[in-house]
Structure formats: structure tokens, C-alpha cells
Coordinates of all heavy atoms in Angstrom, one line a residue:
M1 N -3.7 16.7 -131.0 CA -3.4 16.4 -132.4 C -3.2 14.9 -132.5 O -2.4 14.3 -131.8 CB -2.2 17.2 -132.8 CG -1.7 16.9 -134.2 SD -0.3 17.9 -134.7 CE -1.2 19.2 -135.5
P2 N -3.9 14.3 -133.5 CA -3.8 12.9 -133.7 C -2.4 12.5 -134.3 O -1.8 13.3 -135.0 CB -4.9 12.5 -134.6 CG -5.3 13.8 -135.3 CD -4.9 14.9 -134.3
K3 N -1.9 11.3 -133.9 CA -0.6 10.9 -134.4 C -0.8 10.3 -135.8 O -1.7 9.5 -136.0 CB 0.0 9.8 -133.4 CG 1.3 9.4 -133.8 CD 1.9 8.4 -132.8 CE 3.3 8.0 -133.4 NZ 3.9 7.0 -132.5
V4 N 0.1 10.6 -136.7 CA 0.0 10.1 -138.0 C 0.7 8.7 -138.0 O 1.8 8.6 -137.4 CB 0.8 11.0 -139.0 CG1 0.9 10.4 -140.4 CG2 0.2 12.4 -139.0
P5 N 0.1 7.7 -138.6 CA 0.7 6.4 -138.6 C 2.1 6.4 -139.3 O 2.3 7.2 -140.2 CB -0.3 5.5 -139.4 CG -1.6 6.2 -139.3 CD -1.3 7.7 -139.2
A6 N 3.0 5.6 -138.8 CA 4.4 5.7 -139.2 C 4.5 5.4 -140.7 O 5.2 6.1 -141.4 CB 5.2 4.6 -138.5
V7 N 3.7 4.5 -141.3 CA 3.7 4.2 -142.7 C 3.3 5.4 -143.5 O 3.9 5.7 -144.6 CB 2.9 2.9 -143.1 CG1 1.5 3.1 -142.9 CG2 3.2 2.5 -144.5
E8 N 2.3 6.1 -143.0 CA 1.8 7.3 -143.8 C 2.9 8.4 -143.7 O 3.1 9.2 -144.7 CB 0.5 7.8 -143.2 CG -0.6 6.8 -143.4 CD -0.8 6.4 -144.9 OE1 -0.7 7.2 -145.8 OE2 -1.1 5.2 -145.1
M9 N 3.5 8.5 -142.5 CA 4.6 9.5 -142.4 C 5.7 9.2 -143.4 O 6.2 10.1 -144.1 CB 5.1 9.5 -140.9 CG 6.2 10.5 -140.7 SD 5.7 12.2 -140.7 CE 4.7 12.2 -139.2
L10 N 6.1 7.9 -143.4 CA 7.2 7.5 -144.3 C 6.8 7.8 -145.8 O 7.6 8.4 -146.6 CB 7.5 6.0 -144.2 CG 8.6 5.5 -145.1 CD1 9.9 6.2 -144.9 CD2 8.7 4.0 -144.8
K11 N 5.6 7.4 -146.2 CA 5.1 7.7 -147.6 C 5.2 9.2 -147.9 O 5.6 9.6 -149.0 CB 3.7 7.1 -147.8 CG 3.6 5.6 -147.8 CD 2.1 5.2 -148.0 CE 2.0 3.7 -148.0 NZ 0.5 3.4 -148.1
G12 N 4.7 10.0 -147.0 CA 4.6 11.4 -147.2 C 6.0 12.0 -147.3 O 6.3 12.8 -148.2
L13 N 6.9 11.6 -146.4 CA 8.3 12.1 -146.5 C 9.0 11.6 -147.7 O 9.8 12.4 -148.3 CB 9.0 11.8 -145.2 CG 8.5 12.5 -144.0 CD1 9.1 11.8 -142.7 CD2 8.8 14.0 -144.0
M14 N 8.8 10.4 -148.1 CA 9.4 9.9 -149.4 C 8.9 10.7 -150.6 O 9.7 11.0 -151.5 CB 9.1 8.4 -149.6 CG 9.8 7.5 -148.7 SD 9.3 5.7 -148.9 CE 9.9 5.4 -150.6
D15 N 7.6 11.0 -150.6 CA 7.1 11.8 -151.7 C 7.7 13.2 -151.7 O 8.1 13.7 -152.7 CB 5.5 11.9 -151.5 CG 4.9 12.6 -152.7 OD1 5.2 12.2 -153.8 OD2 4.0 13.5 -152.4
I16 N 7.8 13.9 -150.5 CA 8.3 15.2 -150.5 C 9.8 15.2 -150.9 O 10.2 16.1 -151.6 CB 8.2 15.8 -149.0 CG1 6.8 16.1 -148.7 CG2 9.1 17.0 -148.8 CD1 6.5 16.3 -147.2
K17 N 10.5 14.2 -150.5 CA 12.0 14.1 -150.9 C 12.2 13.4 -152.2 O 13.4 13.2 -152.6 CB 12.7 13.5 -149.7 CG 12.7 14.3 -148.5 CD 13.4 13.7 -147.3 CE 13.3 14.5 -146.1 NZ 14.1 15.7 -146.0
E18 N 11.1 13.0 -152.8 CA 11.2 12.3 -154.2 C 12.1 11.1 -154.1 O 12.9 10.9 -155.0 CB 11.6 13.3 -155.2 CG 10.7 14.5 -155.4 CD 11.1 15.5 -156.5 OE1 12.2 15.3 -157.0 OE2 10.3 16.4 -156.7
L19 N 11.8 10.3 -153.1 CA 12.6 9.0 -152.9 C 11.7 7.8 -153.4 O 10.5 7.9 -153.3 CB 13.0 8.8 -151.5 CG 13.9 9.8 -150.8 CD1 14.0 9.6 -149.3 CD2 15.3 9.8 -151.5
K20 N 12.4 6.8 -153.9 CA 11.8 5.6 -154.4 C 12.2 4.5 -153.4 O 13.1 4.7 -152.6 CB 12.2 5.2 -155.8 CG 11.9 6.3 -156.8 CD 12.4 5.8 -158.1 CE 12.7 7.0 -158.9 NZ 13.7 6.8 -159.9
Q21 N 11.5 3.4 -153.4 CA 11.9 2.3 -152.6 C 13.3 1.9 -152.8 O 14.0 1.6 -151.8 CB 11.0 1.0 -152.9 CG 9.5 1.2 -152.4 CD 8.7 0.0 -152.7 OE1 9.2 -1.1 -152.8 NE2 7.4 0.2 -152.8
S22 N 13.8 1.9 -154.0 CA 15.1 1.5 -154.3 C 16.2 2.5 -153.7 O 17.3 2.1 -153.4 CB 15.4 1.5 -155.8 OG 15.1 2.7 -156.4
D23 N 15.8 3.7 -153.4 CA 16.7 4.6 -152.7 C 16.9 4.2 -151.2 O 17.8 4.8 -150.6 CB 16.1 6.1 -152.7 CG 16.0 6.6 -154.1 OD1 16.8 6.3 -155.0 OD2 15.0 7.3 -154.4
L24 N 16.1 3.3 -150.7 CA 16.2 2.9 -149.3 C 16.8 1.5 -149.1 O 16.8 1.0 -148.1 CB 14.8 3.0 -148.7 CG 14.1 4.3 -148.8 CD1 12.7 4.2 -148.2 CD2 14.9 5.4 -148.1
K25 N 17.4 1.0 -150.2 CA 18.0 -0.4 -150.2 C 19.1 -0.5 -149.1 O 19.4 -1.6 -148.7 CB 18.4 -0.8 -151.5 CG 19.5 0.0 -152.1 CD 19.8 -0.4 -153.5 CE 20.8 0.5 -154.2 NZ 20.8 0.4 -155.6
H26 N 19.7 0.5 -148.7 CA 20.8 0.4 -147.7 C 20.2 0.3 -146.3 O 20.9 -0.1 -145.4 CB 21.7 1.7 -147.7 CG 21.0 2.9 -147.4 ND1 20.2 3.6 -148.4 CD2 20.9 3.7 -146.3 CE1 19.7 4.6 -147.8 NE2 20.1 4.7 -146.6
I27 N 18.9 0.5 -146.2 CA 18.2 0.4 -144.9 C 17.6 -1.0 -144.7 O 17.7 -1.6 -143.7 CB 17.1 1.4 -144.7 CG1 17.7 2.8 -144.8 CG2 16.2 1.2 -143.5 CD1 16.7 4.0 -144.9
A28 N 17.0 -1.5 -145.8 CA 16.4 -2.8 -145.8 C 16.2 -3.3 -147.2 O 16.1 -2.4 -148.1 CB 15.0 -2.8 -145.1
P29 N 16.0 -4.6 -147.4 CA 15.8 -5.1 -148.8 C 14.5 -4.4 -149.4 O 13.6 -4.1 -148.6 CB 15.6 -6.6 -148.6 CG 16.3 -6.9 -147.4 CD 16.1 -5.7 -146.5
Q30 N 14.4 -4.3 -150.7 CA 13.3 -3.7 -151.3 C 12.0 -4.4 -150.9 O 11.0 -3.8 -150.7 CB 13.5 -3.7 -152.8 CG 12.4 -2.9 -153.6 CD 11.2 -3.7 -153.9 OE1 11.2 -4.9 -154.0 NE2 10.1 -3.0 -154.0
S31 N 12.0 -5.7 -150.7 CA 10.8 -6.5 -150.4 C 10.3 -6.0 -149.0 O 9.1 -5.9 -148.7 CB 11.0 -8.0 -150.4 OG 12.1 -8.3 -149.5
V32 N 11.2 -5.8 -148.1 CA 10.9 -5.3 -146.7 C 10.3 -3.9 -146.8 O 9.3 -3.6 -146.1 CB 12.1 -5.4 -145.8 CG1 11.8 -4.8 -144.4 CG2 12.5 -6.8 -145.6
I33 N 10.9 -3.0 -147.5 CA 10.4 -1.7 -147.7 C 9.0 -1.7 -148.3 O 8.1 -1.0 -147.8 CB 11.4 -0.8 -148.6 CG1 12.7 -0.7 -147.9 CG2 10.7 0.6 -148.8 CD1 12.8 0.1 -146.6
S34 N 8.8 -2.6 -149.3 CA 7.5 -2.7 -149.9 C 6.5 -3.2 -148.9 O 5.4 -2.7 -148.8 CB 7.6 -3.7 -151.0 OG 6.3 -3.9 -151.7
D35 N 6.8 -4.2 -148.1 CA 5.9 -4.7 -147.0 C 5.6 -3.6 -146.0 O 4.5 -3.5 -145.6 CB 6.6 -5.9 -146.3 CG 6.5 -7.2 -147.1 OD1 5.8 -7.2 -148.1 OD2 7.1 -8.1 -146.6
I36 N 6.6 -2.8 -145.6 CA 6.3 -1.6 -144.7 C 5.3 -0.7 -145.3 O 4.3 -0.3 -144.7 CB 7.6 -0.9 -144.3 CG1 8.5 -1.8 -143.5 CG2 7.4 0.4 -143.7 CD1 9.9 -1.3 -143.3
L37 N 5.6 -0.3 -146.6 CA 4.7 0.7 -147.3 C 3.3 0.1 -147.5 O 2.4 0.9 -147.6 CB 5.4 1.1 -148.6 CG 6.6 1.9 -148.4 CD1 7.3 2.2 -149.8 CD2 6.4 3.3 -147.7
N38 N 3.2 -1.2 -147.6 CA 1.9 -1.8 -147.8 C 1.2 -2.2 -146.4 O 0.2 -2.9 -146.4 CB 2.0 -3.0 -148.7 CG 2.3 -2.6 -150.1 OD1 1.6 -1.7 -150.6 ND2 3.2 -3.2 -150.8
G39 N 1.8 -1.8 -145.3 CA 1.2 -2.1 -144.0 C 1.4 -3.5 -143.6 O 0.7 -3.9 -142.6
K40 N 2.2 -4.3 -144.2 CA 2.4 -5.7 -143.8 C 3.4 -5.9 -142.7 O 3.5 -7.0 -142.1 CB 2.8 -6.6 -145.0 CG 1.7 -6.6 -146.1 CD 2.1 -7.4 -147.3 CE 1.0 -7.4 -148.4 NZ 1.5 -8.2 -149.6
R41 N 4.3 -4.9 -142.5 CA 5.3 -5.0 -141.5 C 5.4 -3.6 -140.8 O 5.1 -2.6 -141.4 CB 6.7 -5.2 -142.1 CG 7.0 -6.5 -142.7 CD 8.4 -6.6 -143.2 NE 8.7 -7.8 -143.9 CZ 9.7 -8.6 -143.7 NH1 10.5 -8.4 -142.7 NH2 9.8 -9.7 -144.4
D42 N 5.8 -3.7 -139.6 CA 6.1 -2.4 -138.8 C 7.5 -2.0 -139.0 O 8.4 -2.8 -139.4 CB 5.8 -2.7 -137.3 CG 4.4 -2.9 -137.0 OD1 3.5 -2.3 -137.7 OD2 4.1 -3.6 -136.0
I43 N 7.8 -0.8 -138.8 CA 9.2 -0.2 -138.9 C 9.9 -0.6 -137.6 O 9.3 -0.3 -136.5 CB 9.1 1.3 -139.1 CG1 8.5 1.6 -140.5 CG2 10.6 1.9 -139.1 CD1 8.2 3.1 -140.7
N44 N 11.0 -1.2 -137.7 CA 11.8 -1.5 -136.5 C 12.8 -0.4 -136.1 O 12.9 0.5 -136.9 CB 12.4 -2.9 -136.5 CG 13.5 -3.0 -137.6 OD1 14.2 -2.0 -137.8 ND2 13.7 -4.2 -138.2
L45 N 13.4 -0.5 -135.0 CA 14.3 0.5 -134.5 C 15.5 0.8 -135.5 O 15.8 1.9 -135.8 CB 14.8 0.2 -133.1 CG 15.8 1.2 -132.5 CD1 15.1 2.6 -132.4 CD2 16.3 0.7 -131.1
A46 N 16.1 -0.3 -136.0 CA 17.2 -0.2 -136.9 C 16.8 0.5 -138.2 O 17.5 1.4 -138.7 CB 17.8 -1.6 -137.3
Q47 N 15.6 0.2 -138.7 CA 15.1 0.9 -139.9 C 14.8 2.4 -139.6 O 15.1 3.2 -140.5 CB 13.8 0.2 -140.4 CG 14.1 -1.2 -140.9 CD 12.9 -2.1 -140.9 OE1 11.9 -1.8 -140.4 NE2 13.1 -3.3 -141.6
A48 N 14.2 2.6 -138.5 CA 13.9 4.0 -138.1 C 15.2 4.8 -138.1 O 15.2 6.0 -138.5 CB 13.1 4.1 -136.8
K49 N 16.2 4.3 -137.5 CA 17.5 4.9 -137.4 C 18.1 5.1 -138.8 O 18.6 6.2 -139.1 CB 18.5 4.2 -136.5 CG 18.2 4.3 -135.1 CD 19.2 3.5 -134.2 CE 18.9 3.6 -132.8 NZ 19.8 2.8 -131.9
G50 N 17.9 4.1 -139.7 CA 18.3 4.2 -141.1 C 17.6 5.4 -141.8 O 18.3 6.1 -142.6
F51 N 16.3 5.5 -141.6 CA 15.6 6.6 -142.2 C 16.2 8.0 -141.8 O 16.2 8.9 -142.5 CB 14.1 6.5 -141.9 CG 13.4 5.3 -142.5 CD1 12.4 4.7 -141.8 CD2 13.8 4.8 -143.7 CE1 11.8 3.5 -142.3 CE2 13.2 3.6 -144.2 CZ 12.2 3.0 -143.5
S52 N 16.6 8.1 -140.5 CA 17.1 9.3 -140.0 C 18.5 9.6 -140.6 O 18.8 10.8 -141.0 CB 17.2 9.4 -138.5 OG 18.4 9.0 -138.0
V53 N 19.3 8.6 -140.8 CA 20.6 8.8 -141.5 C 20.4 9.2 -142.9 O 21.2 10.0 -143.5 CB 21.4 7.4 -141.5 CG1 22.6 7.5 -142.3 CG2 21.8 7.1 -140.0
T54 N 19.3 8.8 -143.6 CA 19.0 9.2 -144.9 C 18.3 10.5 -145.0 O 18.0 11.0 -146.0 CB 18.0 8.1 -145.6 OG1 18.6 6.8 -145.4 CG2 17.8 8.3 -147.0
K55 N 18.2 11.1 -143.8 CA 17.6 12.5 -143.7 C 16.1 12.5 -144.1 O 15.5 13.5 -144.5 CB 18.3 13.5 -144.6 CG 19.8 13.6 -144.4 CD 20.1 14.5 -143.2 CE 21.6 14.7 -143.2 NZ 22.4 14.1 -142.2
I56 N 15.4 11.3 -143.9 CA 14.0 11.3 -144.1 C 13.3 11.8 -142.9 O 12.3 12.6 -143.0 CB 13.5 9.8 -144.4 CG1 14.1 9.3 -145.7 CG2 12.0 9.7 -144.4 CD1 13.8 7.9 -146.0
G57 N 13.7 11.5 -141.7 CA 13.1 12.1 -140.5 C 13.7 11.4 -139.3 O 14.4 10.4 -139.3
H58 N 13.4 12.0 -138.1 CA 13.9 11.5 -136.9 C 13.3 10.2 -136.6 O 12.1 10.0 -136.9 CB 13.6 12.6 -135.8 CG 14.3 12.3 -134.5 ND1 13.8 11.4 -133.6 CD2 15.4 12.8 -134.0 CE1 14.7 11.3 -132.6 NE2 15.6 12.2 -132.8
P59 N 14.0 9.3 -135.9 CA 13.5 7.9 -135.6 C 12.2 8.0 -134.9 O 11.3 7.1 -135.0 CB 14.6 7.3 -134.8 CG 15.8 7.9 -135.2 CD 15.4 9.4 -135.6
K60 N 12.0 9.0 -134.0 CA 10.8 9.0 -133.2 C 9.5 9.2 -134.1 O 8.4 8.9 -133.7 CB 10.8 10.2 -132.2 CG 11.8 9.9 -131.1 CD 11.7 11.1 -130.1 CE 12.7 10.8 -128.9 NZ 12.7 11.8 -127.9
L61 N 9.7 9.7 -135.3 CA 8.5 9.8 -136.2 C 8.0 8.5 -136.6 O 6.8 8.4 -136.9 CB 8.9 10.6 -137.5 CG 9.3 12.0 -137.4 CD1 9.8 12.5 -138.7 CD2 8.1 12.8 -136.9
F62 N 8.8 7.4 -136.6 CA 8.4 6.1 -137.1 C 8.2 5.1 -136.0 O 7.8 4.0 -136.3 CB 9.5 5.6 -138.0 CG 9.8 6.6 -139.1 CD1 11.0 7.3 -139.1 CD2 8.9 6.9 -140.1 CE1 11.3 8.2 -140.1 CE2 9.2 7.8 -141.1 CZ 10.4 8.5 -141.1
L63 N 8.4 5.4 -134.8 CA 8.2 4.4 -133.7 C 7.1 4.9 -132.8 O 6.7 5.9 -132.7 CB 9.5 4.3 -132.9 CG 10.7 3.8 -133.7 CD1 12.0 3.8 -132.8 CD2 10.4 2.4 -134.2

């Protein structure tokens, strides 16, 4: 089974959970979240852990 790119996984989970970029401001500034969603930045370990605390998904999904 092919691995889904982290940014696509994040976008899909945000859609399912009806989250906006502003809902993730405790993980990273909105500009960083925007860059991640636009493929300009990779998700780092701290952000992946933050997504798991927000119940978006396990950090391994994003790394």
C-alpha cells in the first residue's frame, strides 16, 4: 500500500475533523501551518506531536 504524503494526510484529517488553520495556532504560527499545507515546509517532530495532542492523528502519520 503506498504511503500517503504527510501534507495530504493532514489536509484530509483537518477536513474530517472540520479544523481550520487557526485551530492549530497552538502548534505553530498560522504562516507555518499555511506553508506546511502548501508544501513549502515539512512537518517537524514537535508539530507532529502537537497534531497528536490535538487528536488529529498519531505523530507517525506525519513523519
Side-chain angles (χ1 to χ4, degrees):
M1 175 179 266
K3 183 177 179 184
V4 176
V7 66
E8 296 305 320
M9 181 71 69
L10 178 59
K11 287 178 182 179
L13 291 169
M14 285 177 65
D15 187 49
I16 290 168
K17 295 179 182 283
E18 299 180 354
L19 296 172
K20 300 178 212 153
Q21 290 181 25
S22 60
D23 296 325
L24 305 176
K25 63 185 172 194
H26 63 284
I27 297 170
Q30 189 275 331
S31 61
V32 172
I33 299 295
S34 180
D35 284 350
I36 290 169
L37 293 172
N38 288 314
K40 296 178 181 177
R41 289 184 190 232
D42 290 328
I43 298 170
N44 66 33
L45 181 58
Q47 293 158 348
K49 287 180 179 178
F51 296 143
S52 93
V53 169
T54 308
K55 307 275 192 255
I56 294 176
H58 193 278
K60 288 184 180 181
L61 292 174
F62 306 107
L63 300 174

